[in-house]
Amino acid sequence: MEQKLSRQVALITGASSGIGAGVAKAMAASGATVVLNYPVDATRPAAEAILADITAAGGKGMTCQADVSKEDEVVRMFKDVVSAYGTVDILVNNAGLQRDSAFTEMTLDQWNTVIGVNLTGQFLCAREAVREFLRRGMQPEKSRALGKIICMSSVHEIIPWAGHANYAASKGGIHMLMQTISQEFAPKKIRINAIGPGAIKTPINHAAWATPEAEAKLEELIPYGRVGVVEDIGAAAVWLASDDSDYVNGVTLFVDGGMTLFPGFSTNG
Ligand code: BGC
C-alpha cells in the first residue's frame, strides 16, 4: 500500500531514545526506511531495540553511530547511509541534550557541549543532507520536494529559560539556522522547517513529570492540560516530511499544548 513516506529514506539523529525514537517509529509506520542514529557505542543497544520494535511492526531500517557534533563522524554517517540505501530524502535533525546550570556556575564545557550537539550538530547534518539532495536530484515519483529537513527546536526558541542559558541559546540559534537555510534552498525545492515541542514525556525532562505533584506543577504551564507524548511529535514530523505540507517553508510548528501562549497572562497582566 502506498503510504505518505513510501520509498523515502529518513535519517533521524538521536533516535535511540525520547522524541527521536518516537519520530523514527512514526516515520517507519508511514512507509519510510528509517536510519536510527545514536551517538556512542553505549547507546547502540537502545537504538537496536527501537529498530527491533520497528521491524516487528513491519517497518524497515538500520542503525548508524555518529556523534553529530563531530564533522568526520557526520560525513561518514551520510556516506554509510547513501551506500546502504542510495540516498537520503528526509533528515530529522533531532539529537539534543541539556546541561543545566545557574548562569554564574555554568562551565565552558557545559556551554560547548550543548552548543556542539544541539546547534553545530544540526549545522553539520543539514549541510551534508543538502549536499546529498543536490547530488541526487529530483525524484518526482517519491516527493514534490528535492528533500526535507526537520529541525527539532523547542518552545525555548522563544521562551527564555533561567538556568538553561546554553540550551535556550542553542534553540534560538536553531530557529535562525533553519530559516536562513530554508530561504537559501527553497528555490532548489528543499523544504526546511522546525518543530518546537513543549513538555514531552521523555528522559530529558523526567524529573519534571516523574511524580503526580511534579506533573501537576508542569501542567500549570500547559493550557491544554496534559503533558505531551512522543506520538504528538511523531505525527507532526510525518506531516512536515510528507507532500501534505508541500507549501510549508521555514516555519516552526509548536507542538506544545499551548505552552507558547504564555498562560501566566490569562490571570495577570
Ligand atoms: C526541554 C524540556 C522541557 C520543555 C518545556 C524542552 O525543550 O528539553 O526539558 O520540559 O522544553 O520547558
Side-chain angles (χ1 to χ4, degrees):
M1 195 187 74
E2 189 72 9
Q3 290 173 290
K4 299 269 183 210
L5 304 180
S6 283
R7 286 171 294 160
Q8 299 189 54
V9 178
L11 167 59
I12 301 110
T13 66
S16 48
S17 72
I19 288 175
V23 168
K25 286 181 180 176
M27 289 195 165
S30 296
T33 298
V34 289
V35 180
L36 280 68
N37 158 262
Y38 59 94
V40 289
D41 276 347
T43 48
R44 181 184 186 135
E48 296 288 351
I50 308 293
L51 181 60
D53 288 349
I54 286 170
T55 51
K60 52 191 178 305
M62 64 184 254
T63 61
C64 193
Q65 183 276 332
D67 175 341
V68 296
S69 69
K70 302 205 169 113
E71 184 171 32
D72 55 338
E73 296 192 20
V74 170
V75 169
R76 194 249 310 132
M77 172 171 68
F78 274 80
K79 278 209 183 94
D80 288 351
V81 177
V82 171
S83 71
Y85 294 131
T87 192
V88 177
D89 302 281
I90 299 158
L91 167 67
V92 185
N93 243 342
N94 170 77
L97 43 73
Q98 291 181 212
R99 293 289 181 271
D100 307 331
S101 170
F103 187 64
T104 46
E105 308 307 318
M106 188 173 284
T107 64
L108 181 59
D109 190 52
Q110 287 173 318
W111 174 268
N112 283 340
T113 299
V114 171
I115 298 296
V117 172
N118 296 15
L119 185 56
T120 307
Q122 292 216 12
F123 154 64
L124 291 170
C125 292
R127 191 190 63 185
E128 294 314 300
V130 169
R131 286 175 173 170
E132 171 54 23
F133 300 160
L134 295 171
R135 182 201 67 81
R136 185 231 313 132
M138 277 307 252
Q139 295 185 315
E141 70 286 2
K142 291 204 291 191
S143 176
R144 295 175 72 182
L146 183 68
K148 282 90 50 157
I149 298 176
I150 298 166
C151 299
M152 206 54 71
S153 182
S154 165
V155 291
H156 298 297
E157 87 171 32
I158 58 168
I159 301 180
W161 201 17
H164 310 261
N166 46 3
Y167 185 83
S170 75
K171 297 300 182 178
I174 286 168
H175 176 70
M176 282 313 289
L177 170 67
M178 178 278 291
Q179 288 204 316
T180 297
I181 59 178
S182 182
Q183 185 192 64
E184 192 165 341
F185 291 104
K188 300 280 188 200
K189 306 290 281 181
I190 299 174
R191 291 197 304 109
I192 306 169
N193 292 287
I195 296 175
I200 308 296
K201 286 188 180 177
T202 71
I204 207 172
N205 60 359
H206 184 251
W209 52 268
T211 65
E213 298 73 36
E215 188 164 348
K217 186 160 180 280
L218 185 57
E219 282 173 3
E220 290 171 12
L221 296 173
I222 309 168
Y224 203 56
R226 72 170 172 87
V227 180
V229 290
V230 296
E231 289 77 10
D232 294 315
I233 307 302
V238 167
W239 182 73
L240 278 178
S242 78
D243 281 357
D244 286 349
S245 62
D246 188 56
Y247 207 49
V248 179
N249 294 269
V251 304
T252 297
L253 174 59
F254 288 106
V255 182
D256 66 351
M259 193 175 249
T260 41
L261 297 174
F262 297 94
F265 277 81
S266 62
T267 51
N268 203 347

